[in-house]
Amino acid sequence: MPTYYDTEVASRLMLGTAQYPSPAILAEAFRRSGAGIATVSVRRESGGQRAGQAFWDLIRDLGVHVLPNTAGCHSVREAVTTAQMARELFGTTWIKLEVIGHADTLQPDPFGLVEAARILTDEGFKVFPYCTEDLVICERLVEAGCEVLMPWGAPIGTGLGLNNIYGLRTLRAHFPDLPLVVDAGLGVPSQAAHAMELGYDAVLLNTAVAKAGDPAAMAEGFARALEAGRMGYEADPMMPRDMAAPSTPVLGQAFS
Amino acid sequence: MNITLNGTKQETGAETLADLLTEMGYTDARVATAVNEDFVPAASRAEHRLNDGDRIEIVTPRQGG
């Protein structure tokens, strides 16, 4: 099972906590999938509603690791300050670092991401960077202190799956010992299985589960796909070939 | 003095960040704070004096992906 900064997590699924039809369905999705990490955010407290406390109680009851994010931050300063607030609120040094560079694609700003990763690592954070599958950017993130990489499969919320198989495979080959997580863009379980077959360690989902007609069933479907894909990867798959090769013995065939 | 609290301009008589949280009813709430985009740890709120025009963020745990 994957180990992030010396913490082993007994699941290959990281699950977001946003957009569910209800808190009960959110909890059911975690229960049925066995997801080991929940991503969360910090947002402005509004009025006297104390929604934050109720949400915190719900997450604590899930009994999973908590990974706060810096979602929506477009500058290094915003991201660093948000991470510092998240560390105090959630009592963890883990941070899913997002520095968004483009409003339409929510593509990470690679320059800001590397700079923020360096600052936060120096401050003792354990950074989980949401990045593209660009090899050079990923090398810079590792140099900045990141011990896990989280390249996108496709833009957040699109459900398009793994858009750049070659790029993802290249990352796996170049960082054989680093935990790699496909973060964002997955829509259906087969795409998660594919990520496992590429040798990835985990996937991070939110919209694909939360916006499914039956979120809890979809969460379990993803969990099973992850298990199947990982098992296939570890079983050393056959090499594909262009020409057919009969599987039934040719020797002894009648009429030959 | 005039401040901007979570994006909304308002007046306050609070002299420190801790006073402002008390004024807003957040004394026991699970919140984190920033002033002018700099994080202010909970332990520093009582000494952190507010100035006219300060931009203050009070945040809390929320759903995220």
Side-chain angles (χ1 to χ4, degrees), chain A residues 101-165:
Chain A
H102 195 278
D104 290 337
T105 61
L106 299 180
Q107 182 169 339
D109 167 1
F111 310 102
L113 185 65
V114 171
E115 186 182 343
R118 191 173 291 121
I119 292 168
L120 291 171
T121 299
D122 287 347
E123 291 190 11
F125 283 88
K126 294 177 168 64
V127 177
F128 294 61
Y130 165 62
C131 54
T132 58
E133 72 282 11
D134 186 290
L135 176 59
V136 179
I137 297 301
C138 286
E139 284 184 333
R140 296 289 183 275
L141 287 167
V142 171
E143 288 167 13
C146 296
E147 296 181 17
V148 52
L149 295 170
M150 303 215 297
W152 64 354
I156 294 169
T158 60
L160 291 173
L162 307 180
N163 270 354
N164 183 359
I165 302 295

Side-chain angles (χ1 to χ4, degrees), chain A residues 15-19 26 39-48 50-53 55-56 60 69 71 75 77-78 81 84-86 88-90 96 98 204 206, chain B residues 4-8 21 24-45 55-65:
Chain A
L15 198 51
T17 55
Q19 301 181 303
L26 184 164
T39 54
V40 295
S41 73
V42 300
R43 287 292 180 263
R44 286 170 169 168
E45 179 67 285
S46 53
R50 301 291 175 90
Q53 184 63 49
F55 176 68
W56 172 246
R60 204 178 40 194
N69 68 28
S75 73
R77 191 174 183 194
E78 279 177 41
T81 301
Q84 291 165 333
M85 292 194 290
E88 186 177 87
L89 270 182
F90 294 103
K96 174 185 161 180
E98 293 186 31
L204 197 165
N206 190 343
Chain B
T4 301
L5 176 59
N6 285 351
T8 303
L21 288 169
M24 299 299 298
Y26 293 146
T27 312
D28 303 322
R30 178 173 285 273
V31 295
T33 50
V35 177
N36 301 328
E37 292 190 28
D38 285 328
F39 172 57
V40 180
S44 302
R45 289 174 192 156
R55 289 168 286 116
I56 296 148
E57 298 287 340
I58 301 176
V59 299
T60 188
R62 265 321 139 77
Q63 296 84 351

